[in-house]
């Protein structure tokens, strides 16, 4: 099983310069060969060999290093790895899974990959070209079987994301639930657990707006403007950190306690385009949450069932199947006119999602396993607001 550990790095000034050079060089090599590959294809469309692959471009690297001598300062394996990344982008494009590869910009996420040659000694992470080691601070010990390390930068902070292999076996949870992702509540489970959204995000958003307004009043490019840009970036960073922490807590608690989870395959990109709900949706970082939940369930060999978005999940009565066409977004309770059933709107949807998932995999209604109170206690101890309906 592969896991990842993210540790914060504390490079000295000299190391910061070299890290920046690594980010820049990997981006430069990526962009250079994106152009080379595009040109080659245009000129060889009708030849036997239509395009270049990762190996072709890696073989062209030594020549490029003669032209741009500064590339020799950079770990050559990291440069090679940007060409493997570029190749992946091309292959995704050819499989029609992605758009044509884009040039990487300074504004994009800054990163480079270190595929081998790493060690950790006395709170120092040693990677090629940084043989004196970069100081890191983390409670966890650096694992032994490291697969690769990705060095990233977020505003003014540097991180190492260490991907490693572990033999550790995590137990599979026992419960079975459906999850309804919402706006008023972050999520509601079919066994009645409701996790409230993070308040802190709202507060930070107000702050963000204020600082952005200040930014708009400064002269672009001036010293004060630059200082204000950093201020704004730092608020974004706080929001990202808070959201990631929140998503980690919720996904861990669920993955620990449940062996089968049904969730709607939300077309989040499509939904984010719907402006009315776009803001609070992207705020809550559903996409990140789902990704975390998927890999954490995977660690435990637990099951994630995704069902297509089906309209009546909120409009259908989970008790008798009646569809209530006039259910409004503002109705927080679901009252069924046919069977008289009354239930929290999101809980009703979560039960429908669970039932749909069970039908999809050809199983009957699962036995109720009361683990929701253990999950709730765990979330509450992490400072989250949770209700049991
Ligand atoms: Zn009913």
């Amino acid at each position: 099983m592969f896991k990842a550990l993210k540790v914060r790095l504390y490079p000295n000034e000299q190391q910061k310069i070299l890290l920046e050079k690594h980010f820049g060089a990997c981006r430069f090599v990526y962009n250079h060969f994106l152009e080379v590959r595009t040109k080659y294809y245009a000129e060889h469309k009708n030849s036997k060999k239509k395009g270049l692959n990762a190996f072709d471009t890696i073989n062209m690297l030594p020549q490029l290093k003669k032209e741009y001598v500064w590339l020799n300062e950079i770990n050559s394996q990291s440069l090679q790895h940007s060409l493997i990344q570029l190749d992946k982008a091309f292959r995704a494009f050819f499989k029609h899974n992605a758009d044509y590869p884009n040039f990487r910009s300074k504004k994009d996420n800054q990163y480079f990959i270190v595929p081998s040659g790493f060690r950790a000694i006395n709170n120092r992470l040693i990677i090629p070209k940084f043989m004196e080691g970069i100081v890191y601070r983390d409670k966890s010990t650096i694992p032994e079987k490291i697969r690769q390390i990705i060095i990233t930068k977020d505003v003014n902070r540097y991180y190492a994301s260490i991907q490693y292999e572990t033999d550790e076996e995590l137990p599979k949870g026992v419960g079975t639930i459906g999850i309804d992702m919402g706006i008023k509540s972050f999520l509601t489970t079919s066994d009645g657990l409701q996790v409230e959204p993070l308040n802190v995000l709202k507060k930070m958003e107000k702050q963000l707006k204020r600082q952005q307004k200040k930014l708009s009043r400064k002269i672009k490019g001036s010293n004060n403007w630059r200082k204000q840009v950093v201020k704004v970036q730092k608020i974004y960073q706080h929001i990202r950190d808070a959201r990631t922490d929140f998503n980690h807590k919720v996904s861990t608690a669920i993955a620990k306690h449940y062996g089968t989870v049904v969730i709607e395959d939300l077309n989040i990109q499509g939904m984010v385009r719907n402006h009315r709900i776009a803001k609070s949706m992207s705020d809550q970082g559903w996409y990140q949450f789902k990704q975390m939940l998927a890999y954490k369930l995977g660690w435990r060999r637990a099951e994630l069932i995704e069902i297509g978005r089906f309209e009546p999940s909120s409009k259908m009565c989970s008790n008798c199947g009646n569809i209530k066409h006039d259910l409004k977004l503002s109705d927080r309770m679901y009252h069924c006119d046919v069977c008289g059933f009354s239930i929290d709107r999101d809980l009703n949807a979560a039960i429908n999602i669970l039932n749909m998932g069970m039908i999809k995999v050809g199983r009957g209604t699962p036995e109720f396993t009361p683990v929701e109170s253990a999950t709730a206690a765990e979330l509450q101890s992490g400072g989250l607001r949770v209700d049991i309906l």
Side-chain angles (χ1 to χ4, degrees), residues 257-269:
H257 292 103
Y258 297 93
T260 304
V261 176
V262 187
I263 198 161
E264 274 181 302
D265 174 21
L266 297 167
N267 175 1
I268 288 174
Q269 274 192 335

Side-chain angles (χ1 to χ4, degrees), residues 316-323 334-342 348:
M316 189 167 79
C317 170
S318 59
N319 192 43
C320 73
N322 165 44
I323 289 175
Y334 184 100
H335 298 287
C336 179
D337 305 324
V338 175
C339 71
F341 191 55
S342 229
N348 181 60

Side-chain angles (χ1 to χ4, degrees), residues 340-355:
F341 191 55
S342 229
I343 185 173
D344 177 273
R345 169 210 181 92
D346 296 333
L347 179 56
N348 181 60
I351 295 171
N352 284 330
I353 289 167
L354 171 64
N355 291 339

